[in-house]
Structures are given as C-alpha cells and as structure tokens.
Amino acid sequence: MQQIFNFIFKNSHRLLFLLLLGVSLVLTIQAHSYHRSKIITSANFFTGGIYERINSVSEYLNLKVQNEELAKENARLKSIIFNTKDTASIAKIDTIKGVKKQTLLCQK
C-alpha cells in the first residue's frame, strides 16, 4: 500500500497531465460534431477489425463440423450412385413391326 502512495506522489504531475488531457478530449469530442464523427468512425473501424478476426477464428473452428457434414453427404451420394441401375443404356425398342433389320437399306 505504501508503494502505491509513493508511486502516486512520485508521478503526480504525469497523472494530473493525463487526467486533464482525458477531460479535454472528452469535452472536445462532445462539443464538436467533426471530432465526434472521427472518433465514432475510428471506433467502428477498430471494433470491425476485432469482429472480423473473431469471425475468422470461429469459422476455422467450425470447419470440423462442416467437414463431417460433407463426408456424410458424400457417403449418401455415393450410395445412391452405386446402388441404382445404369440408366445410360436404355433398351432400344424397334417401332417398325414386321420389318427385319437385314431388309432395311441404309444410305450413307
């Protein structure tokens, strides 16, 4: 406790300067709209950067969940593909009845 009082007495001029500087900045910001808008813009820029970094970290931590969901979807799609019959080779039915294939003449 004695060290705290010694620090305050030793640095009383600096602490008084910082206190008066803070009071003057607050009064300037409250009195002038230009300074207020600059402070608000700077604060928005600063908090936006913090939120962006927090969001990127949470997205990175969420990648494991997304990876598991994609693996399940891939497994489901592979089971659908490999369990169905091949629909690309549909049996062709000849619509001309009574005519054999050998009797047809093809012209090139």
Side-chain angles (χ1 to χ4, degrees), residues 20-37 39:
L20 292 175
L21 179 67
V23 169
S24 66
L25 287 175
V26 167
L27 292 176
T28 303
I29 290 168
Q30 287 180 352
H32 302 287
S33 62
Y34 174 77
H35 298 294
R36 186 182 312 129
S37 68
I39 291 295

Side-chain angles (χ1 to χ4, degrees), residues 28-98:
T28 303
I29 290 168
Q30 287 180 352
H32 302 287
S33 62
Y34 174 77
H35 298 294
R36 186 182 312 129
S37 68
K38 286 297 183 180
I39 291 295
I40 290 173
T41 304
S42 299
N44 286 340
F45 178 75
F46 181 71
T47 56
I50 291 173
Y51 286 141
E52 182 180 354
R53 289 183 187 223
I54 290 172
N55 188 27
S56 65
V57 168
S58 65
E59 283 180 359
Y60 177 75
L61 296 176
N62 195 22
L63 286 178
K64 184 176 182 180
V65 173
Q66 289 180 353
N67 192 18
E68 290 172 357
E69 290 175 1
L70 286 174
K72 287 178 185 178
E73 185 178 1
N74 283 343
R76 183 182 61 84
L77 291 174
K78 283 182 181 180
S79 69
I80 290 172
I81 289 174
F82 293 125
N83 289 338
T84 58
K85 295 180 181 178
D86 189 13
T87 57
S89 60
I90 299 173
K92 295 181 181 179
I93 301 171
D94 191 6
T95 57
I96 304 174
K97 294 183 180 180

